[in-house]
Amino acid sequence: MRGLYIGRFQPYHLGHETVLQEISQEMEEIVIAIGSAQESHTTTNPFTAGERMEMICASLRAVDLRSRCYVIPVEDINRNSIWVAHLQSMIPQFDVVYSNNPLVVRLFSEANVAVRKPPMCRRDVYSGTVIRKTMREGGDWKRLVPESVAAIIIKIGGVERLSSVSKSDAS
Ligand code: ATP
Ligand code: MG
């Protein structure tokens, strides 16, 4: 059986890694779809699809899951009613989708795809929104992501990028 896991992974964090390890107990293979692939260099989407792919693949290698996962960027279509079909046209066939995102759950349920909701893992801190905020405020974000993700973010100057794109030229 093959499972699908979708996210924006801005950035990929320890909550995502925990969920993937749980999915790997139930599924032989996992398709990881990187959503909003066209987005980068914004406050909510600081990293490019390529950078997110590197983060995910490096972390999968560290937990020995790389050979069982497909990692595929998928651009937004901005039309929810046909988004599932769009996604299906871009990724390998899958049996079950794993998501906690209410819109994603709704769209797949309406398309008669089996949906499983993985339990949340320390959602108060393992959250892209919280991690981006922590980065902007100079807090300790490194403990919230896999080591290989922290190394990539440091290498590409991710924290400085987030701080630059958060600024305005208004005054
Ligand atoms: P953002 O705050 O930017 O939306 P996020 O942490 O929700 O970031 P996504 O890439 O949107 O990350 O999440 C992908 C999937 O992972 C979604 O289904 C989301 O509900 C789930 N997820 C995110 N954080 C956790 C967590 N700590 N435990 C379990 N699932 C999580
Ligand atoms: Mg989210």
Side-chain angles (χ1 to χ4, degrees), residues 73-120:
V74 180
E75 291 187 25
D76 286 332
I77 183 171
N78 291 321
R79 199 160 158 188
N80 288 336
S81 61
I82 54 172
W83 176 74
V84 171
H86 164 68
L87 190 69
Q88 284 169 328
S89 77
M90 303 298 291
I91 64 177
Q93 285 229 323
F94 58 92
D95 305 287
V96 185
V97 58
Y98 291 81
S99 182
N100 277 308
N101 182 289
L103 175 62
V104 171
V105 170
R106 179 77 206 173
L107 296 177
F108 276 106
S109 305
E110 287 189 16
N112 297 313
V113 174
V115 181
R116 290 187 199 164
K117 296 183 189 173
M120 281 295 183

Side-chain angles (χ1 to χ4, degrees), residues 5-9 13 15-16 19 99-101 119-121 123 126-129 132:
Y5 188 53
I6 309 166
R8 289 180 7 267
F9 308 112
H13 56 63
H16 299 136
V19 169
S99 182
N100 277 308
N101 182 289
M120 281 295 183
C121 170
R123 183 63 166 155
Y126 293 166
S127 143
T129 302
R132 293 189 301 275

Side-chain angles (χ1 to χ4, degrees), residues 113-171:
V113 174
V115 181
R116 290 187 199 164
K117 296 183 189 173
M120 281 295 183
C121 170
R122 298 188 58 194
R123 183 63 166 155
D124 55 326
V125 283
Y126 293 166
S127 143
T129 302
V130 170
I131 293 167
R132 293 189 301 275
K133 184 165 182 280
T134 308
M135 284 176 165
R136 288 203 311 272
E137 292 172 351
D140 183 10
W141 56 272
K142 292 191 201 78
R143 72 191 165 90
L144 307 175
V145 300
E147 268 177 41
S148 43
V149 170
I152 290 169
I153 291 174
I154 290 165
K155 188 179 83 182
I156 64 178
V159 179
E160 295 77 15
R161 180 191 296 173
L162 190 53
S163 138
S164 315
V165 300
S166 307
K167 283 181 196 143
S168 137
D169 63 357
S171 55

